[in-house]
Amino acid sequence: MTNPYEVLGVKEGTSKEDIKKAYRELAKKYHPDQYGDNPLKDLAEIKMRELNEAYDSLMKNNGSSNSHSSSSGYSSQNNSGSTSNDDYTSNNIYQSIRMDINSGNTSSAEQKLSSMNTKTAEWNYLMGMVHLKKGWQDSAYTFISRACSQEPNNIEYRRSFNELNSRNSNYRDNYYSRRGNDNGMGNMCLNLWCADTICECFGGDLISCC
Amino acid sequence: MFGYVTPCKMEMKIKDYEKFKAYYCGLCNSIKNNFGNLPRLTLNYDMTFLAILLDSLSEDKYNFNEFKCMIHPLKKRLMINNNEALDYAAFCNITLAYYKLMDDAYDNKTMKSKVFSIFLKNYLPKSDKAYNDIMMYTKEKLQLLNTLEVNHKDMGIDEISHVFADLTGFIISFYYKESSFKDDLYWLGYNLGKWIYIIDAYDDLEKDMKMNSFNAINSLLNLDNLDFKSFSTLIKPRIDFILATSAEQCLKYLNDLPLIKNEDILYNILELGLMEKMDKVFNKENIDNLKGVEYKDDKSI
């Protein structure tokens, strides 16, 4: 893997805050969604994946280098027992956040999420769901698509992401299908008229009345 | 910021179109009766939508009246009178217009808004005491929006549009604040307010970039200081996404409301009217030679 510091454009040993900042700046710049159908989109996607990987690995490493002071698991020095313990507690938190979201208590869910330091795919996904509930669709989209790129094989994330997109296009289709019909009609008439004119040029006639 | 929520005229039944016009004239008339003649100049379509939406949930019968309009003196027209929803919309129209003008006078320093806001001020205290909450809330939120627009560092587009969206939701749901569908109304308003805020910003993007004044989209999202042309093509899909999802949410909450009348008009506006406006704003450059006919008489009914 390439040097994560290089990918994020920061010096080795930079503080967590600065890494976060750098990541945010770059993520805004390379976020694939703003490219639409632009061919750059693929490139942006690759770049975004690299960014996410680098960011994740740095955030984890950073935890380990500071682990003398903090007792958080996730460091490589810790034995497997404590790691699974950490997983267990974070799973518990996610569980309660999901319950909050389902019961409509978005502010409590959001509070819990913002107090967490590790931004896993699930974290991004749940944050996206909270923002959706709040009507903040733009950031929800960013969070959910980040969750998808962190864990591309997760069906739940992928489904929410697709749903968001299809909701949007269903709404559009209704308008375009109605308006499109009118245009089609106009075009057909125009084509007929053109054909008629061309025929008349050559002395024949397609539509006798004009 | 106003005047984006309009019906898609070409897809409307004549009777619905006439009804829409009757609400519009009724709103104008209600402003005249409650506030005076000058504030009629602030009349706008968004508030017509508000009146139609709120009235659709009440069991009152339509009260049509034939009259002759001063501005269009030749033809007789229909308007709706004695309608509480219309009076409420008239009040909101004036309140929003007044505080918006105050803001403009404060930060743009244009002569027009300054003079106008001074005039309008005289009319405002005449309004009903029961609606004092609305006035306070509007004032507070528009001021907050102003401060946020000055200190917008590290803010997302959702965050800044939240203020106006919330205000719209509040205004729409306040009228039925005791009812069971209050929340649906609030969220319909929230999404509509957001839609208005963002489409307005996108519509003004070129102008604001030229004048170097605040524009939510430019100031928050244009981190690389691109010029208008490249920035607008870059940001278009993202703005398009926000607008379409907000509009789609409006429609979703409309579905949940126990509508009694005006159903076709409301669906026309939220399903087709908003999309038409988006189409129009997004394709500003090449609209003239394509669909000129149907847009030309858009302004005056």
PDB file of all heavy atoms in Angstrom, chain A residues 28 34 134-139 141 167-168 171-172 174-176 179, chain B residues 11 157-158 190-191 194 223 234 238 240-241 244 270-271 279 294:
ATOM      1  N   LYS A  28     -13.880  16.457  -0.084  1.00  0.00           N
ATOM      2  CA  LYS A  28     -14.771  17.401  -0.753  1.00  0.00           C
ATOM      3  C   LYS A  28     -14.376  17.546  -2.217  1.00  0.00           C
ATOM      4  O   LYS A  28     -15.192  17.602  -3.109  1.00  0.00           O
ATOM      5  CB  LYS A  28     -14.672  18.768  -0.082  1.00  0.00           C
ATOM      6  CG  LYS A  28     -15.822  19.029   0.876  1.00  0.00           C
ATOM      7  CD  LYS A  28     -15.736  20.417   1.425  1.00  0.00           C
ATOM      8  CE  LYS A  28     -16.577  20.519   2.702  1.00  0.00           C
ATOM      9  NZ  LYS A  28     -16.188  21.622   3.546  1.00  0.00           N
ATOM     10  N   GLN A  34     -20.008  14.613  -7.329  1.00  0.00           N
ATOM     11  CA  GLN A  34     -20.117  15.915  -7.965  1.00  0.00           C
ATOM     12  C   GLN A  34     -19.697  15.882  -9.425  1.00  0.00           C
ATOM     13  O   GLN A  34     -19.844  16.865 -10.130  1.00  0.00           O
ATOM     14  CB  GLN A  34     -19.304  16.942  -7.182  1.00  0.00           C
ATOM     15  CG  GLN A  34     -17.880  16.538  -6.976  1.00  0.00           C
ATOM     16  CD  GLN A  34     -17.204  17.435  -5.948  1.00  0.00           C
ATOM     17  OE1 GLN A  34     -17.503  18.584  -5.876  1.00  0.00           O
ATOM     18  NE2 GLN A  34     -16.312  16.895  -5.154  1.00  0.00           N
ATOM     19  N   LYS A 134     -33.443  13.892   9.306  1.00  0.00           N
ATOM     20  CA  LYS A 134     -33.471  15.330   9.571  1.00  0.00           C
ATOM     21  C   LYS A 134     -33.806  16.140   8.321  1.00  0.00           C
ATOM     22  O   LYS A 134     -33.956  17.346   8.383  1.00  0.00           O
ATOM     23  CB  LYS A 134     -32.090  15.809  10.060  1.00  0.00           C
ATOM     24  CG  LYS A 134     -31.787  15.455  11.489  1.00  0.00           C
ATOM     25  CD  LYS A 134     -30.782  16.422  12.092  1.00  0.00           C
ATOM     26  CE  LYS A 134     -29.468  16.472  11.344  1.00  0.00           C
ATOM     27  NZ  LYS A 134     -28.469  17.330  12.021  1.00  0.00           N
ATOM     28  N   GLY A 135     -33.842  15.468   7.178  1.00  0.00           N
ATOM     29  CA  GLY A 135     -34.076  16.185   5.927  1.00  0.00           C
ATOM     30  C   GLY A 135     -32.803  16.804   5.367  1.00  0.00           C
ATOM     31  O   GLY A 135     -32.862  17.672   4.522  1.00  0.00           O
ATOM     32  N   TRP A 136     -31.657  16.333   5.835  1.00  0.00           N
ATOM     33  CA  TRP A 136     -30.376  16.849   5.314  1.00  0.00           C
ATOM     34  C   TRP A 136     -29.881  15.877   4.246  1.00  0.00           C
ATOM     35  O   TRP A 136     -28.928  15.137   4.468  1.00  0.00           O
ATOM     36  CB  TRP A 136     -29.354  16.979   6.447  1.00  0.00           C
ATOM     37  CG  TRP A 136     -29.670  18.069   7.423  1.00  0.00           C
ATOM     38  CD1 TRP A 136     -30.894  18.571   7.728  1.00  0.00           C
ATOM     39  CD2 TRP A 136     -28.729  18.800   8.229  1.00  0.00           C
ATOM     40  NE1 TRP A 136     -30.784  19.553   8.665  1.00  0.00           N
ATOM     41  CE2 TRP A 136     -29.476  19.726   9.000  1.00  0.00           C
ATOM     42  CE3 TRP A 136     -27.342  18.759   8.375  1.00  0.00           C
ATOM     43  CZ2 TRP A 136     -28.871  20.596   9.899  1.00  0.00           C
ATOM     44  CZ3 TRP A 136     -26.754  19.630   9.274  1.00  0.00           C
ATOM     45  CH2 TRP A 136     -27.509  20.546  10.025  1.00  0.00           C
ATOM     46  N   GLN A 137     -30.488  15.939   3.073  1.00  0.00           N
ATOM     47  CA  GLN A 137     -30.216  14.900   2.078  1.00  0.00           C
ATOM     48  C   GLN A 137     -28.808  14.956   1.515  1.00  0.00           C
ATOM     49  O   GLN A 137     -28.229  13.936   1.186  1.00  0.00           O
ATOM     50  CB  GLN A 137     -31.220  15.001   0.921  1.00  0.00           C
ATOM     51  CG  GLN A 137     -32.630  14.659   1.310  1.00  0.00           C
ATOM     52  CD  GLN A 137     -33.418  15.880   1.703  1.00  0.00           C
ATOM     53  OE1 GLN A 137     -32.858  16.934   1.945  1.00  0.00           O
ATOM     54  NE2 GLN A 137     -34.733  15.762   1.779  1.00  0.00           N
ATOM     55  N   ASP A 138     -28.278  16.150   1.405  1.00  0.00           N
ATOM     56  CA  ASP A 138     -26.958  16.264   0.784  1.00  0.00           C
ATOM     57  C   ASP A 138     -25.894  15.562   1.625  1.00  0.00           C
ATOM     58  O   ASP A 138     -25.124  14.756   1.123  1.00  0.00           O
ATOM     59  CB  ASP A 138     -26.603  17.742   0.600  1.00  0.00           C
ATOM     60  CG  ASP A 138     -25.261  17.926  -0.066  1.00  0.00           C
ATOM     61  OD1 ASP A 138     -25.061  17.347  -1.149  1.00  0.00           O
ATOM     62  OD2 ASP A 138     -24.403  18.629   0.495  1.00  0.00           O
ATOM     63  N   SER A 139     -25.873  15.854   2.911  1.00  0.00           N
ATOM     64  CA  SER A 139     -24.854  15.207   3.743  1.00  0.00           C
ATOM     65  C   SER A 139     -25.184  13.727   3.931  1.00  0.00           C
ATOM     66  O   SER A 139     -24.280  12.908   4.039  1.00  0.00           O
ATOM     67  CB  SER A 139     -24.710  15.919   5.078  1.00  0.00           C
ATOM     68  OG  SER A 139     -25.957  16.192   5.636  1.00  0.00           O
ATOM     69  N   TYR A 141     -26.360  11.783   1.745  1.00  0.00           N
ATOM     70  CA  TYR A 141     -25.829  11.134   0.551  1.00  0.00           C
ATOM     71  C   TYR A 141     -24.334  10.909   0.685  1.00  0.00           C
ATOM     72  O   TYR A 141     -23.809   9.845   0.355  1.00  0.00           O
ATOM     73  CB  TYR A 141     -26.131  12.015  -0.662  1.00  0.00           C
ATOM     74  CG  TYR A 141     -25.827  11.389  -1.988  1.00  0.00           C
ATOM     75  CD1 TYR A 141     -26.784  10.613  -2.619  1.00  0.00           C
ATOM     76  CD2 TYR A 141     -24.592  11.565  -2.605  1.00  0.00           C
ATOM     77  CE1 TYR A 141     -26.530  10.028  -3.837  1.00  0.00           C
ATOM     78  CE2 TYR A 141     -24.320  10.985  -3.829  1.00  0.00           C
ATOM     79  CZ  TYR A 141     -25.293  10.227  -4.438  1.00  0.00           C
ATOM     80  OH  TYR A 141     -25.021   9.646  -5.641  1.00  0.00           O
ATOM     81  N   ARG A 167     -35.419   6.867  -5.678  1.00  0.00           N
ATOM     82  CA  ARG A 167     -36.477   7.755  -5.235  1.00  0.00           C
ATOM     83  C   ARG A 167     -36.460   9.023  -6.063  1.00  0.00           C
ATOM     84  O   ARG A 167     -37.465   9.502  -6.569  1.00  0.00           O
ATOM     85  CB  ARG A 167     -36.202   8.143  -3.779  1.00  0.00           C
ATOM     86  CG  ARG A 167     -37.336   7.885  -2.874  1.00  0.00           C
ATOM     87  CD  ARG A 167     -36.960   7.995  -1.448  1.00  0.00           C
ATOM     88  NE  ARG A 167     -36.243   9.193  -1.114  1.00  0.00           N
ATOM     89  CZ  ARG A 167     -35.838   9.480   0.132  1.00  0.00           C
ATOM     90  NH1 ARG A 167     -36.089   8.647   1.105  1.00  0.00           N
ATOM     91  NH2 ARG A 167     -35.187  10.579   0.395  1.00  0.00           N
ATOM     92  N   ASN A 168     -35.244   9.511  -6.185  1.00  0.00           N
ATOM     93  CA  ASN A 168     -34.984  10.728  -6.918  1.00  0.00           C
ATOM     94  C   ASN A 168     -35.385  10.596  -8.389  1.00  0.00           C
ATOM     95  O   ASN A 168     -36.081  11.439  -8.935  1.00  0.00           O
ATOM     96  CB  ASN A 168     -33.487  10.979  -6.768  1.00  0.00           C
ATOM     97  CG  ASN A 168     -33.089  12.329  -7.210  1.00  0.00           C
ATOM     98  OD1 ASN A 168     -33.667  12.851  -8.142  1.00  0.00           O
ATOM     99  ND2 ASN A 168     -32.112  12.896  -6.564  1.00  0.00           N
ATOM    100  N   TYR A 171     -39.192  10.301  -9.103  1.00  0.00           N
ATOM    101  CA  TYR A 171     -39.862  11.592  -9.053  1.00  0.00           C
ATOM    102  C   TYR A 171     -39.706  12.333 -10.380  1.00  0.00           C
ATOM    103  O   TYR A 171     -40.652  12.875 -10.922  1.00  0.00           O
ATOM    104  CB  TYR A 171     -39.278  12.424  -7.907  1.00  0.00           C
ATOM    105  CG  TYR A 171     -39.847  13.807  -7.817  1.00  0.00           C
ATOM    106  CD1 TYR A 171     -41.096  14.030  -7.267  1.00  0.00           C
ATOM    107  CD2 TYR A 171     -39.133  14.896  -8.298  1.00  0.00           C
ATOM    108  CE1 TYR A 171     -41.626  15.299  -7.196  1.00  0.00           C
ATOM    109  CE2 TYR A 171     -39.654  16.170  -8.219  1.00  0.00           C
ATOM    110  CZ  TYR A 171     -40.901  16.365  -7.668  1.00  0.00           C
ATOM    111  OH  TYR A 171     -41.417  17.636  -7.603  1.00  0.00           O
ATOM    112  N   ARG A 172     -38.482  12.335 -10.886  1.00  0.00           N
ATOM    113  CA  ARG A 172     -38.214  12.999 -12.154  1.00  0.00           C
ATOM    114  C   ARG A 172     -38.981  12.385 -13.313  1.00  0.00           C
ATOM    115  O   ARG A 172     -39.524  13.090 -14.154  1.00  0.00           O
ATOM    116  CB  ARG A 172     -36.747  12.812 -12.509  1.00  0.00           C
ATOM    117  CG  ARG A 172     -35.860  13.882 -12.125  1.00  0.00           C
ATOM    118  CD  ARG A 172     -34.461  13.321 -12.260  1.00  0.00           C
ATOM    119  NE  ARG A 172     -33.729  13.635 -11.062  1.00  0.00           N
ATOM    120  CZ  ARG A 172     -33.162  14.809 -10.894  1.00  0.00           C
ATOM    121  NH1 ARG A 172     -33.222  15.706 -11.837  1.00  0.00           N
ATOM    122  NH2 ARG A 172     -32.547  15.081  -9.787  1.00  0.00           N
ATOM    123  N   ASN A 174     -41.748  10.939 -13.660  1.00  0.00           N
ATOM    124  CA  ASN A 174     -43.142  11.310 -13.803  1.00  0.00           C
ATOM    125  C   ASN A 174     -43.281  12.574 -14.648  1.00  0.00           C
ATOM    126  O   ASN A 174     -44.098  12.648 -15.567  1.00  0.00           O
ATOM    127  CB  ASN A 174     -43.731  11.540 -12.419  1.00  0.00           C
ATOM    128  CG  ASN A 174     -45.208  11.779 -12.492  1.00  0.00           C
ATOM    129  OD1 ASN A 174     -45.843  11.468 -13.502  1.00  0.00           O
ATOM    130  ND2 ASN A 174     -45.754  12.351 -11.442  1.00  0.00           N
ATOM    131  N   TYR A 175     -42.455  13.549 -14.341  1.00  0.00           N
ATOM    132  CA  TYR A 175     -42.505  14.809 -15.090  1.00  0.00           C
ATOM    133  C   TYR A 175     -42.056  14.609 -16.519  1.00  0.00           C
ATOM    134  O   TYR A 175     -42.741  14.999 -17.462  1.00  0.00           O
ATOM    135  CB  TYR A 175     -41.620  15.841 -14.389  1.00  0.00           C
ATOM    136  CG  TYR A 175     -41.421  17.123 -15.147  1.00  0.00           C
ATOM    137  CD1 TYR A 175     -42.405  18.099 -15.165  1.00  0.00           C
ATOM    138  CD2 TYR A 175     -40.232  17.366 -15.838  1.00  0.00           C
ATOM    139  CE1 TYR A 175     -42.219  19.278 -15.841  1.00  0.00           C
ATOM    140  CE2 TYR A 175     -40.043  18.549 -16.518  1.00  0.00           C
ATOM    141  CZ  TYR A 175     -41.033  19.505 -16.520  1.00  0.00           C
ATOM    142  OH  TYR A 175     -40.836  20.674 -17.201  1.00  0.00           O
ATOM    143  N   TYR A 176     -40.916  13.958 -16.681  1.00  0.00           N
ATOM    144  CA  TYR A 176     -40.369  13.840 -18.027  1.00  0.00           C
ATOM    145  C   TYR A 176     -41.241  12.978 -18.930  1.00  0.00           C
ATOM    146  O   TYR A 176     -41.341  13.236 -20.117  1.00  0.00           O
ATOM    147  CB  TYR A 176     -38.945  13.296 -17.982  1.00  0.00           C
ATOM    148  CG  TYR A 176     -37.969  14.333 -17.519  1.00  0.00           C
ATOM    149  CD1 TYR A 176     -37.148  14.111 -16.423  1.00  0.00           C
ATOM    150  CD2 TYR A 176     -37.896  15.566 -18.165  1.00  0.00           C
ATOM    151  CE1 TYR A 176     -36.260  15.086 -15.986  1.00  0.00           C
ATOM    152  CE2 TYR A 176     -37.029  16.544 -17.741  1.00  0.00           C
ATOM    153  CZ  TYR A 176     -36.212  16.299 -16.653  1.00  0.00           C
ATOM    154  OH  TYR A 176     -35.362  17.264 -16.229  1.00  0.00           O
ATOM    155  N   ARG A 179     -44.138  15.309 -20.018  1.00  0.00           N
ATOM    156  CA  ARG A 179     -43.703  16.386 -20.889  1.00  0.00           C
ATOM    157  C   ARG A 179     -43.084  15.829 -22.155  1.00  0.00           C
ATOM    158  O   ARG A 179     -43.198  16.406 -23.221  1.00  0.00           O
ATOM    159  CB  ARG A 179     -42.682  17.287 -20.185  1.00  0.00           C
ATOM    160  CG  ARG A 179     -43.125  17.769 -18.838  1.00  0.00           C
ATOM    161  CD  ARG A 179     -44.318  18.663 -18.944  1.00  0.00           C
ATOM    162  NE  ARG A 179     -43.997  19.846 -19.717  1.00  0.00           N
ATOM    163  CZ  ARG A 179     -44.916  20.697 -20.147  1.00  0.00           C
ATOM    164  NH1 ARG A 179     -46.162  20.470 -19.895  1.00  0.00           N
ATOM    165  NH2 ARG A 179     -44.564  21.750 -20.828  1.00  0.00           N
TER     166      ARG A 179
ATOM    167  N   GLU B  11     -50.043  21.365 -17.831  1.00  0.00           N
ATOM    168  CA  GLU B  11     -50.599  20.080 -17.426  1.00  0.00           C
ATOM    169  C   GLU B  11     -51.827  20.250 -16.536  1.00  0.00           C
ATOM    170  O   GLU B  11     -52.274  19.317 -15.890  1.00  0.00           O
ATOM    171  CB  GLU B  11     -49.543  19.275 -16.667  1.00  0.00           C
ATOM    172  CG  GLU B  11     -48.333  18.873 -17.488  1.00  0.00           C
ATOM    173  CD  GLU B  11     -48.667  17.817 -18.523  1.00  0.00           C
ATOM    174  OE1 GLU B  11     -49.571  17.001 -18.268  1.00  0.00           O
ATOM    175  OE2 GLU B  11     -48.021  17.811 -19.580  1.00  0.00           O
ATOM    176  N   ILE B 157     -24.126  22.721   3.183  1.00  0.00           N
ATOM    177  CA  ILE B 157     -25.273  23.349   2.529  1.00  0.00           C
ATOM    178  C   ILE B 157     -26.573  22.984   3.242  1.00  0.00           C
ATOM    179  O   ILE B 157     -27.505  23.773   3.310  1.00  0.00           O
ATOM    180  CB  ILE B 157     -25.304  22.973   1.020  1.00  0.00           C
ATOM    181  CG1 ILE B 157     -26.319  23.809   0.256  1.00  0.00           C
ATOM    182  CG2 ILE B 157     -25.614  21.518   0.806  1.00  0.00           C
ATOM    183  CD1 ILE B 157     -25.687  24.932  -0.474  1.00  0.00           C
ATOM    184  N   ASP B 158     -26.612  21.783   3.819  1.00  0.00           N
ATOM    185  CA  ASP B 158     -27.798  21.381   4.576  1.00  0.00           C
ATOM    186  C   ASP B 158     -27.967  22.236   5.817  1.00  0.00           C
ATOM    187  O   ASP B 158     -29.074  22.593   6.202  1.00  0.00           O
ATOM    188  CB  ASP B 158     -27.664  19.924   5.037  1.00  0.00           C
ATOM    189  CG  ASP B 158     -27.869  18.959   3.909  1.00  0.00           C
ATOM    190  OD1 ASP B 158     -28.774  19.193   3.104  1.00  0.00           O
ATOM    191  OD2 ASP B 158     -27.130  17.974   3.832  1.00  0.00           O
ATOM    192  N   TYR B 190     -40.765  22.141   5.513  1.00  0.00           N
ATOM    193  CA  TYR B 190     -39.312  22.093   5.679  1.00  0.00           C
ATOM    194  C   TYR B 190     -38.632  21.820   4.335  1.00  0.00           C
ATOM    195  O   TYR B 190     -37.722  22.529   3.923  1.00  0.00           O
ATOM    196  CB  TYR B 190     -38.937  21.002   6.682  1.00  0.00           C
ATOM    197  CG  TYR B 190     -37.459  20.950   6.984  1.00  0.00           C
ATOM    198  CD1 TYR B 190     -36.947  21.633   8.081  1.00  0.00           C
ATOM    199  CD2 TYR B 190     -36.577  20.230   6.182  1.00  0.00           C
ATOM    200  CE1 TYR B 190     -35.597  21.605   8.367  1.00  0.00           C
ATOM    201  CE2 TYR B 190     -35.232  20.204   6.455  1.00  0.00           C
ATOM    202  CZ  TYR B 190     -34.745  20.889   7.547  1.00  0.00           C
ATOM    203  OH  TYR B 190     -33.399  20.866   7.825  1.00  0.00           O
ATOM    204  N   ASN B 191     -39.122  20.789   3.655  1.00  0.00           N
ATOM    205  CA  ASN B 191     -38.494  20.423   2.385  1.00  0.00           C
ATOM    206  C   ASN B 191     -38.734  21.461   1.299  1.00  0.00           C
ATOM    207  O   ASN B 191     -37.875  21.705   0.465  1.00  0.00           O
ATOM    208  CB  ASN B 191     -38.976  19.049   1.936  1.00  0.00           C
ATOM    209  CG  ASN B 191     -38.282  17.950   2.699  1.00  0.00           C
ATOM    210  OD1 ASN B 191     -37.103  17.693   2.505  1.00  0.00           O
ATOM    211  ND2 ASN B 191     -38.990  17.330   3.635  1.00  0.00           N
ATOM    212  N   LYS B 194     -36.429  24.399   1.953  1.00  0.00           N
ATOM    213  CA  LYS B 194     -35.084  24.062   1.532  1.00  0.00           C
ATOM    214  C   LYS B 194     -34.965  24.154   0.017  1.00  0.00           C
ATOM    215  O   LYS B 194     -34.003  24.706  -0.512  1.00  0.00           O
ATOM    216  CB  LYS B 194     -34.788  22.637   1.983  1.00  0.00           C
ATOM    217  CG  LYS B 194     -33.425  22.173   1.644  1.00  0.00           C
ATOM    218  CD  LYS B 194     -33.149  20.895   2.362  1.00  0.00           C
ATOM    219  CE  LYS B 194     -31.697  20.547   2.194  1.00  0.00           C
ATOM    220  NZ  LYS B 194     -31.288  19.537   3.138  1.00  0.00           N
ATOM    221  N   LEU B 223     -14.809  25.560  -3.247  1.00  0.00           N
ATOM    222  CA  LEU B 223     -13.601  25.671  -2.435  1.00  0.00           C
ATOM    223  C   LEU B 223     -12.379  26.038  -3.266  1.00  0.00           C
ATOM    224  O   LEU B 223     -11.413  26.595  -2.764  1.00  0.00           O
ATOM    225  CB  LEU B 223     -13.346  24.357  -1.700  1.00  0.00           C
ATOM    226  CG  LEU B 223     -14.475  23.970  -0.738  1.00  0.00           C
ATOM    227  CD1 LEU B 223     -14.266  22.582  -0.193  1.00  0.00           C
ATOM    228  CD2 LEU B 223     -14.594  24.971   0.388  1.00  0.00           C
ATOM    229  N   LEU B 234     -19.854  21.736 -12.669  1.00  0.00           N
ATOM    230  CA  LEU B 234     -19.366  20.775 -11.690  1.00  0.00           C
ATOM    231  C   LEU B 234     -20.412  20.513 -10.612  1.00  0.00           C
ATOM    232  O   LEU B 234     -20.647  19.374 -10.210  1.00  0.00           O
ATOM    233  CB  LEU B 234     -18.085  21.320 -11.042  1.00  0.00           C
ATOM    234  CG  LEU B 234     -17.458  20.450  -9.958  1.00  0.00           C
ATOM    235  CD1 LEU B 234     -16.745  19.277 -10.592  1.00  0.00           C
ATOM    236  CD2 LEU B 234     -16.484  21.267  -9.130  1.00  0.00           C
ATOM    237  N   ARG B 238     -25.034  17.798  -8.183  1.00  0.00           N
ATOM    238  CA  ARG B 238     -25.237  17.743  -6.736  1.00  0.00           C
ATOM    239  C   ARG B 238     -26.440  18.595  -6.319  1.00  0.00           C
ATOM    240  O   ARG B 238     -27.270  18.159  -5.534  1.00  0.00           O
ATOM    241  CB  ARG B 238     -23.965  18.245  -6.045  1.00  0.00           C
ATOM    242  CG  ARG B 238     -23.985  18.003  -4.564  1.00  0.00           C
ATOM    243  CD  ARG B 238     -22.591  18.088  -3.985  1.00  0.00           C
ATOM    244  NE  ARG B 238     -22.636  18.231  -2.558  1.00  0.00           N
ATOM    245  CZ  ARG B 238     -21.595  18.628  -1.826  1.00  0.00           C
ATOM    246  NH1 ARG B 238     -20.453  18.916  -2.416  1.00  0.00           N
ATOM    247  NH2 ARG B 238     -21.699  18.721  -0.525  1.00  0.00           N
ATOM    248  N   ASP B 240     -28.868  19.448  -8.275  1.00  0.00           N
ATOM    249  CA  ASP B 240     -30.009  18.768  -8.867  1.00  0.00           C
ATOM    250  C   ASP B 240     -30.503  17.663  -7.936  1.00  0.00           C
ATOM    251  O   ASP B 240     -31.703  17.497  -7.724  1.00  0.00           O
ATOM    252  CB  ASP B 240     -29.567  18.170 -10.208  1.00  0.00           C
ATOM    253  CG  ASP B 240     -30.743  17.851 -11.090  1.00  0.00           C
ATOM    254  OD1 ASP B 240     -31.771  18.530 -10.951  1.00  0.00           O
ATOM    255  OD2 ASP B 240     -30.632  16.927 -11.907  1.00  0.00           O
ATOM    256  N   PHE B 241     -29.566  16.936  -7.357  1.00  0.00           N
ATOM    257  CA  PHE B 241     -29.927  15.864  -6.433  1.00  0.00           C
ATOM    258  C   PHE B 241     -30.654  16.417  -5.210  1.00  0.00           C
ATOM    259  O   PHE B 241     -31.701  15.912  -4.805  1.00  0.00           O
ATOM    260  CB  PHE B 241     -28.681  15.091  -5.994  1.00  0.00           C
ATOM    261  CG  PHE B 241     -28.955  14.091  -4.908  1.00  0.00           C
ATOM    262  CD1 PHE B 241     -29.481  12.843  -5.213  1.00  0.00           C
ATOM    263  CD2 PHE B 241     -28.717  14.406  -3.578  1.00  0.00           C
ATOM    264  CE1 PHE B 241     -29.761  11.934  -4.211  1.00  0.00           C
ATOM    265  CE2 PHE B 241     -28.998  13.498  -2.564  1.00  0.00           C
ATOM    266  CZ  PHE B 241     -29.522  12.264  -2.882  1.00  0.00           C
ATOM    267  N   ALA B 244     -34.176  17.658  -6.208  1.00  0.00           N
ATOM    268  CA  ALA B 244     -35.140  16.607  -6.538  1.00  0.00           C
ATOM    269  C   ALA B 244     -35.530  15.814  -5.296  1.00  0.00           C
ATOM    270  O   ALA B 244     -36.703  15.478  -5.118  1.00  0.00           O
ATOM    271  CB  ALA B 244     -34.580  15.680  -7.608  1.00  0.00           C
ATOM    272  N   LEU B 270     -46.564  20.305  -6.784  1.00  0.00           N
ATOM    273  CA  LEU B 270     -45.434  19.601  -6.172  1.00  0.00           C
ATOM    274  C   LEU B 270     -44.855  18.512  -7.061  1.00  0.00           C
ATOM    275  O   LEU B 270     -43.695  18.142  -6.938  1.00  0.00           O
ATOM    276  CB  LEU B 270     -45.852  19.000  -4.828  1.00  0.00           C
ATOM    277  CG  LEU B 270     -46.175  20.025  -3.737  1.00  0.00           C
ATOM    278  CD1 LEU B 270     -46.420  19.348  -2.417  1.00  0.00           C
ATOM    279  CD2 LEU B 270     -45.064  21.057  -3.585  1.00  0.00           C
ATOM    280  N   GLU B 271     -45.673  17.994  -7.960  1.00  0.00           N
ATOM    281  CA  GLU B 271     -45.181  16.904  -8.794  1.00  0.00           C
ATOM    282  C   GLU B 271     -44.553  17.429 -10.080  1.00  0.00           C
ATOM    283  O   GLU B 271     -43.524  16.924 -10.516  1.00  0.00           O
ATOM    284  CB  GLU B 271     -46.352  15.975  -9.139  1.00  0.00           C
ATOM    285  CG  GLU B 271     -46.017  14.522  -9.066  1.00  0.00           C
ATOM    286  CD  GLU B 271     -47.258  13.667  -9.213  1.00  0.00           C
ATOM    287  OE1 GLU B 271     -48.392  14.210  -9.261  1.00  0.00           O
ATOM    288  OE2 GLU B 271     -47.113  12.441  -9.269  1.00  0.00           O
ATOM    289  N   ASP B 279     -36.093  22.552 -14.251  1.00  0.00           N
ATOM    290  CA  ASP B 279     -35.700  22.450 -15.645  1.00  0.00           C
ATOM    291  C   ASP B 279     -35.341  23.819 -16.205  1.00  0.00           C
ATOM    292  O   ASP B 279     -34.343  23.994 -16.888  1.00  0.00           O
ATOM    293  CB  ASP B 279     -36.893  21.902 -16.442  1.00  0.00           C
ATOM    294  CG  ASP B 279     -36.531  20.618 -17.149  1.00  0.00           C
ATOM    295  OD1 ASP B 279     -35.523  20.018 -16.764  1.00  0.00           O
ATOM    296  OD2 ASP B 279     -37.259  20.240 -18.080  1.00  0.00           O
ATOM    297  N   GLU B 294     -44.347  28.662 -24.026  1.00  0.00           N
ATOM    298  CA  GLU B 294     -45.087  28.399 -22.805  1.00  0.00           C
ATOM    299  C   GLU B 294     -44.530  29.158 -21.613  1.00  0.00           C
ATOM    300  O   GLU B 294     -45.161  29.205 -20.578  1.00  0.00           O
ATOM    301  CB  GLU B 294     -45.141  26.900 -22.510  1.00  0.00           C
ATOM    302  CG  GLU B 294     -43.814  26.278 -22.186  1.00  0.00           C
ATOM    303  CD  GLU B 294     -43.990  24.782 -21.962  1.00  0.00           C
ATOM    304  OE1 GLU B 294     -44.115  24.040 -22.958  1.00  0.00           O
ATOM    305  OE2 GLU B 294     -44.004  24.383 -20.804  1.00  0.00           O
TER     306      GLU B 294
END
